[in-house]
């Protein structure tokens, strides 16, 4: 038997079931089936008794006989099946609410069954609903296996006789008949980490001899999975670093120096300096830079972005000429027009008096203005271009694009990054800025191909934002607190979630909120701005501007306000229905305050009753302002499936390892791959790994070769 053999030829499968396996689980070959791991095992040696049952909801295995089968009709098409189960020490009730016909046909009085499930106490009696059930004769036969595998199966599979037991029979044959499987991990590595051989692990993951062997098999397979994931990322990274030439930008010129000495009203933090040095080292290396800068909200990423762009602009594009239009160009891309506009204003102000041409290009610009900007860009007259996605449209041509800064990267797809690459030859250096910290385990895998810098320090004199959780009854107190703040000259935000996913209805929530707010804060004494998705870009910008200039005291907004908006005088953000926001979103929103010298506050308004998950999120927000801690909690609470940007990462396709639960293994494999590539960049001593690199992309070697 070979791993590549068609599954339909296996004993117990056949063409009909093969079709079902392919349709339901994408299992087509023997190798595919081998890689379909059980999610748990039944330990036949440990058996509970009904008399000994104690706790609700723990998984037990019981052996006994059934009697007294009863069907109760509970609705037009609904029925409930109850069966008594006795194991000699006592009896309990088995209950089915679905699939009753199948159970009725299958269960026979007097036959011994092994059942598995989670008993609960109901009216003083133990009951198990929808237990796994198997004739004891099957479970006991061939007693050489102390553990029986349990597989996930679908309804459709069960209907075609492919329940977990049937699958277990097939994998038993499979494991018995398999030839010795070849090894995929280098021997020294396997020995060093005391890993089972691949041959032993792949068999034992289905039919282990002992708990210890099962654990070892799981470890080995997780290790393998993470190892190859790391190899994919790190090898690609190394290739890029060694292969892709970038435009060398060696000069630190007058723009940068003058700006540094005369234009910044405050000293850079040590973290900002360090990150700038890292960026500069990249820019002059001659290799193309791909660097991710992580820095919590308010850590001063904009300044780092600007100074990096000045480093670029200081360099002539060609040595032949020192004409003004022969300088390298840089652009800064933001996810929304509000942000692009704000960046443009901030940067223009900071650059005042310096010979730098900076322009703003957004979708809502008038065609004539757009055309003129594009022309000047192509002529090299514009040094720095700020904008939204409009920057990467096909008809935008730079003369000498050397550096692209992408702010708040989580809104930008891989596609868009690739598009940027094609904007110049050699491809521009890329600097990605994000305020949404990535949990360590993710960063290790996801950004194996980016260099990372961290601005892990806030400018001096910042007070961490104080966060409070409040419910409706205390709203009057919240409002009177806001009044104090506004009367002391501060400004406040109110943020409403997108509740209905329907802009019209959402707007109504916002408008109801606005009415309530304005009844408490009457005009003309208190002025209010409102920003939401139904406004045009110009209207949004107008409202933002009034708030920024202090002409309004209160900003009522949906989450369009989320990213990057900078109004240092705003000291309170009230987040309505806070339970509806994800953690990283709450963290982003909170970052709108605490940007000036005054103590700032974040007030999370929720309803009284919260789900455990919501409660945990709110609790996390109230207890820490550390973005990394929040990111880790987010990953734990939501699972990786909901984290943006992970879809194409391969992280979600893992079969057995988990980047949430297997952090030590993630770290170990990352380090091992790193050392391996450092010592032997072409993997010349590891032909198998070379073969893997050559043949596979994010897919495990196991199923590819036997
Ligand atoms: P973010 O990292 O969230 O993008 P910003 O770049 O918007 O942060 O900076 C937040 C605020 O901190 C801005 O008002 C900026 O002028 C200010 N700032 C940046 N660097 C420093 C520094 N080294 N010292 C004092 N204030 C700084
Ligand atoms: Mg920012």
């Amino acid at each position: 038997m070979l791993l590549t053999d068609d599954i339909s030829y296996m004993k117990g499968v056949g063409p009909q079931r093969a079709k079902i396996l392919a349709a339901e689980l994408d299992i087509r070959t023997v190798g595919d089936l081998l890689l379909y791991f059980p999610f748990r095992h039944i330990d036949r040696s440990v058996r509970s008794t009904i008399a000994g049952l104690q706790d609700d909801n723990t998984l037990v295995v019981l052996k006994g006989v059934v009697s007294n089968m009863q069907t109760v009709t509970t609705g037009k098409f609904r029925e409930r099946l109850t069966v008594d189960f006795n194991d000699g020490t006592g009896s309990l009730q088995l209950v089915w609410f679905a699939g009753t016909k199948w159970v009725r046909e299958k269960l026979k009085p007097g036959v011994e069954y092994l059942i598995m499930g989670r008993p609960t106490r109901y009216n003083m009696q133990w009951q198990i609903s929808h237990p796994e059930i198997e004739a004891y004769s099957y479970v006991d036969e061939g007693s050489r296996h102390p553990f029986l595998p349990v597989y996930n199966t679908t309804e459709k599979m069960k209907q075609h006789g492919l329940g977990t037991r049937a699958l277990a029979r097939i994998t038993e044959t499979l494991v018995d008949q398999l030839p010795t499987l070849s090894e995929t991990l280098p021997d020294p590595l396997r020995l060093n980490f005391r890993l089972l051989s691949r041959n032993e692990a792949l068999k034992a993951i289905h039919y282990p001899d002992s708990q210890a062997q099962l654990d070892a098999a799981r470890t080995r397979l997780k290790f393998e999975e993470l190892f190859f994931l790391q190899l994919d990322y790190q090898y690609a990274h190394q290739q890029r670093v060694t292969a892709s030439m970038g435009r060398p930008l060696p000069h630190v010129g007058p723009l940068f120096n003058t700006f540094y000495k005369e234009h910044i009203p405050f000293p850079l933090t040590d973290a900002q300096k360090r990150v700038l040095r890292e960026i500069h080292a990249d820019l002059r290396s001659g290799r193309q830079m791909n660097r991710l800068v992580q820095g919590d909200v308010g850590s001063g990423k904009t300044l780092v972005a600007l100074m990096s762009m000045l480093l670029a602009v200081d360099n002539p594009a060609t040595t032949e000429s020192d004409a003004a239009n022969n300088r390298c160009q840089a652009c800064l891309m933001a996810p929304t027009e509000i942000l692009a506009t704000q960046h443009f204003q901030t940067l223009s102000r900071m650059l005042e008096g310096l010979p730098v041409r900076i322009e703003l290009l957004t979708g809502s610009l008038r065609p004539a203005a757009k055309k003129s900007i594009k022309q000047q860009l192509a002529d090299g007259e514009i040094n720095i271009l700020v904008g939204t996605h409009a920057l990467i449209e096909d008809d935008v041509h730079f003369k000498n694009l050397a550096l692209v800064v992408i702010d708040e990267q989580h809104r930008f797809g891989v596609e868009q990054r690739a598009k940027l690459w094609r904007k110049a030859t050699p491809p521009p250096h890329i600097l990605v800025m994000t305020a949404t910290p990535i949990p360590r385990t993710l960063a290790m895998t996801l950004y194996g191909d980016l260099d990372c810098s961290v601005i892990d320090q806030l400018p001096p004199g910042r007070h961490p934002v104080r966060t409070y959780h409040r419910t409706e009854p205390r709203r009057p107190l919240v409002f009177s607190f806001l009044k104090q703040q506004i009367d002391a000259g501060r400004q406040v935000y109110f943020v409403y979630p997108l509740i209905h996913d329907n802009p019209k209805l959402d707007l109504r929530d916002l408008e109801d909120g606005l009415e309530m707010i304005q009844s408490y804060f009457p005009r003309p004494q208190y002025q209010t701005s409102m920003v939401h998705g139904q406004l045009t870009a110009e209207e949004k910008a107008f409202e933002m501007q009034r708030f920024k200039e202090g002409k309004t005291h209160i900003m009522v907004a949906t989450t369009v306000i989320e990213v990057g908006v900078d109004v240092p005088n705003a000291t309170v953000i009230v987040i309505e229905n806070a339970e509806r926001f994800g953690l990283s979103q709450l963290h982003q929103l909170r970052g709108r305050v605490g940007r000036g010298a005054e103590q700032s506050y974040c007030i999370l308004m929720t309803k009284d009753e919260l789900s455990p998950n919501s409660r945990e999120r709110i609790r996390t927000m109230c207890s820490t302002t550390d973005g990394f801690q929040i990111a880790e909690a987010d990953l734990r609470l939501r699972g990786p499936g909901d984290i943006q940007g992970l879809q194409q990462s391969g992280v979600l396709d893992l079969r057995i390892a988990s980047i949430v639960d297997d952090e030590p293994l993630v770290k170990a494999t990352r380090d091992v791959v790193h050392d391996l590539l450092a010592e032997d960049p072409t993997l010349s001593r590891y032909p198998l790994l070379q073969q893997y690199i050559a043949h596979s992309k994010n897919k495990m070697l196991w199923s590819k070769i036997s």
Side-chain angles (χ1 to χ4, degrees), residues 2 16 187 237 253 322 676 700 706:
L2 292 174
Q16 179 67 23
D187 279 341
H237 175 59
D322 52 5
L676 210 78
M700 251 177 256
S706 67

Side-chain angles (χ1 to χ4, degrees), residues 266-269 272 296-302 459 462 566 595:
F266 37 68
L268 294 182
T269 63
Q272 284 171 318
D296 222 334
V297 278
S299 60
K301 292 185 293 297
T302 314
R462 294 281 168 81
D566 186 24
R595 304 176 80 85

Side-chain angles (χ1 to χ4, degrees), residues 298 301-302 339 342-343 407-408 435 564 595:
K301 292 185 293 297
T302 314
L339 266 185
Q342 180 187 292
H343 275 318
D407 195 20
E408 309 299 355
R595 304 176 80 85

